[in-house]
Each structure stands twice: as C-alpha cells, then as structure tokens.
Amino acid sequence: MPVLWALWGIGVLNVVALGVSLSASLIRERVTGSATPAFITILLTMFAMVTTVVGGFSGLLLVLLTDAGVVLVVGTVVLLVGAALVAAGYLGHRRLSRRVARIGRQLLSREEVLDLLAAGLVRSFSRRDGVLEVTLDPRVARERELWTRRADPRDYLAFVAAADEVLAEGRMLQYDDETGEGPPSTNLRWITLEEAAALLGTGRVRSFSHGSRGRSGDDRTAFRGTPTGIKLTDHGWVRHIAVTPELEAATIPLARAARAIHGTPEFLVDGHRER
C-alpha cells in the first residue's frame, strides 16, 4: 500500500511540474520564436506517459482498496485523463511529423518557386551537387523543417531571372551556383574611379573601406576585370566599395560628400568602423 501511495504522489507532482515546464516552453516559443529541441520534447513526452500511466493505475488501485477521499479521486482522474491526453498528443505529433517529412521530400515546382519569389518569400537559393536548395521565409510555414526546400536544378536560370526583378526593387535576396554554369547574385568586380563616383553620388553604396585591408592581395582573382584599385562587392540590394591606399586621396572626398548628402556610405578603416 505505501508503494501505491508513493507512486501516486510522485505521479501527481511530476504532472504538475510537467505542466509548468510545457507552459513555459510554449510561452518561450511564442515570445522568441525558437522551438524546444525535438529530443527534449520526446523525453518529456515519454516521461509524461510513464508517470501518468503508473500514477493513474496506482491511484485506481487505491480507490478500490481504500476509503478514497476527494483528493485521491480527483488526482487519479487527472492522471488518467493526462495519460490519455499525452498519448493522443504523441500520436498527433507523430502524424504531423510524418506529414511535414513527406512535404519536405517533395520538390517545389517551378511555378511555386516563381510565385514565392514574386511574393518576396524566398531568402536565397543555391545549386550544388545536382541539388537546388531554396531557403524560404518563415512566414511560408510554421514548421522549421519546411523553411528549406528543394527544387529542380534545371530551373535555376528561370529563378535567376525572377530573382533579378526582386533585386531591382531593392529587396534582399541571394543566389549562387557552385557548378559555375549559372551566375551568382553577388557581383565582384573592379570598377573605375568614374563608376565609383557615379555609385557614391546616387547613395547606392552601403560601406566604403580603405586602409591596409583595402589592398588587393589574396582576393585579387576573386574580382573580375582589370585591377583598378577600387573593388565593388555588389549583392544587388546592397553594395560595398573598398579602395587601395593609392586611391584613397581620390575617393575619400567623394565618399564623404555622398555621406553628407545621403547618410551613406559607412566608413570602414582597416576593417573597423570609423568613429
């Protein structure tokens, strides 16, 4: 008999603790948007099932073998109902997980990706190793597993054309092709002083870097064209200019004049923000 009381009591206390823990997890997920890790959810679920089942049947035996009080009866009912709810929740979670996994394995069609691009719900896409991976905005689906999907690699160029329209509107998007067969969204090239002046004059440059880190050392081959001393990193929605020390005297006044008019670019000296 004392063992039954102990099991029943432990079951009640653990269910209360579990309820508080799950409530805190739900609140945290709503506030921060970060879900509880799957393995923790599985452990809590298994623990809840064992606790509620053992405690519930221990309480049921106590009800049958003793003069059951209100607390014992109510606690036992809570445990048994809790066991049923946990089992139902677990089965529902498994069913949802299988559904999400099934959807995640399906390729997005060309039309679906184009519609998502037009709606601004694609953050990036990349083609590599025969796979086209598409990273979606979290607004597309609540399940984190569906934020990264796959599409037909042969549709890469069609997606690039649609993505360039998005970039032309100043929206953020990135794409790349590790096979080298298609263009990436980031354009690395050497530009002339006249081109730099034109870009700075339109306020389309986010940062202006100079100093020792503006040298063209190891990344010389990463930039297309003939080295001019002025490097442009163009992501489409944001642009960065870096100059070698030899070009500082000619470009810094242009950058400061642009900053006075447009509020940009931000100045970086030797890789550090200018104060």
Side-chain angles (χ1 to χ4, degrees):
M1 196 73 68
V3 174
L4 294 177
W5 280 107
L7 292 174
W8 178 83
I10 292 172
V12 172
L13 291 176
N14 285 342
V15 166
V16 172
L18 183 63
V20 173
S21 176
L22 290 176
S23 299
S25 297
L26 290 174
I27 293 173
R28 174 174 171 270
E29 183 175 348
R30 288 183 178 275
V31 172
T32 64
S34 58
T36 303
F39 75 94
I40 294 180
T41 302
I42 294 173
L43 289 177
L44 288 176
T45 301
M46 294 176 63
F47 180 70
M49 291 178 66
V50 173
T51 299
T52 52
V53 170
V54 173
F57 280 101
S58 297
L60 187 61
L61 289 174
L62 288 172
V63 170
L64 297 175
L65 298 175
T66 64
D67 296 330
V70 175
V71 175
L72 177 60
V73 173
V74 173
T76 300
V77 170
V78 169
L79 287 172
L80 293 174
V81 171
L85 291 176
V86 169
Y90 176 74
L91 293 175
H93 177 73
R94 290 283 297 176
R95 185 164 54 250
L96 178 61
S97 297
R98 287 196 295 268
R99 174 179 171 273
V100 169
R102 185 175 64 254
I103 294 175
R105 288 192 297 268
Q106 296 174 351
L107 290 180
L108 290 170
S109 68
R110 176 186 293 195
E111 291 70 24
E112 286 177 305
V113 177
L114 292 177
D115 289 343
L116 290 168
L117 282 166
L121 296 176
V122 175
R123 289 188 170 182
S124 65
F125 58 91
S126 176
R127 180 167 66 174
R128 60 179 178 273
D129 299 328
V131 174
L132 179 57
E133 194 171 85
V134 183
T135 302
L136 303 176
D137 190 283
R139 290 175 294 172
V140 174
R142 294 187 58 184
E143 297 81 6
R144 187 180 296 272
E145 296 83 354
L146 297 181
W147 294 354
T148 301
R149 301 287 302 277
R150 291 183 173 185
D152 192 330
R154 294 172 295 182
D155 293 332
Y156 180 81
L157 294 180
F159 300 156
V160 167
D164 286 343
E165 295 182 9
V166 172
L167 292 173
E169 298 172 1
R171 290 187 285 168
M172 185 181 298
L173 179 61
Q174 186 172 350
Y175 58 85
D176 63 90
D177 183 8
E178 292 188 3
T179 67
E181 297 175 4
S185 59
T186 301
N187 187 358
L188 304 174
R189 60 189 176 94
W190 297 95
I191 60 174
T192 64
L193 180 61
E194 291 73 19
E195 290 176 298
L199 284 172
L200 289 167
T202 58
R204 297 166 59 190
V205 178
R206 176 71 60 83
S207 70
F208 178 86
S209 303
H210 63 93
S212 61
R213 296 197 179 185
R215 296 183 186 277
S216 58
D218 295 336
D219 60 359
R220 177 182 293 272
T221 58
F223 288 79
R224 295 186 296 104
T226 302
T228 61
I230 306 176
K231 298 181 292 186
L232 173 67
T233 301
D234 188 349
H235 294 289
W237 75 90
V238 62
R239 297 166 180 84
H240 306 278
I241 285 179
V243 301
T244 57
E246 294 77 15
L247 270 294
E248 290 178 1
T251 55
I252 288 178
L254 297 173
R256 294 203 181 281
R259 182 177 176 84
I261 298 173
H262 303 288
T264 58
E266 176 185 50
F267 277 77
L268 301 174
V269 184
D270 295 333
H272 301 284
R273 183 180 300 173
E274 183 182 76
R275 296 182 179 179

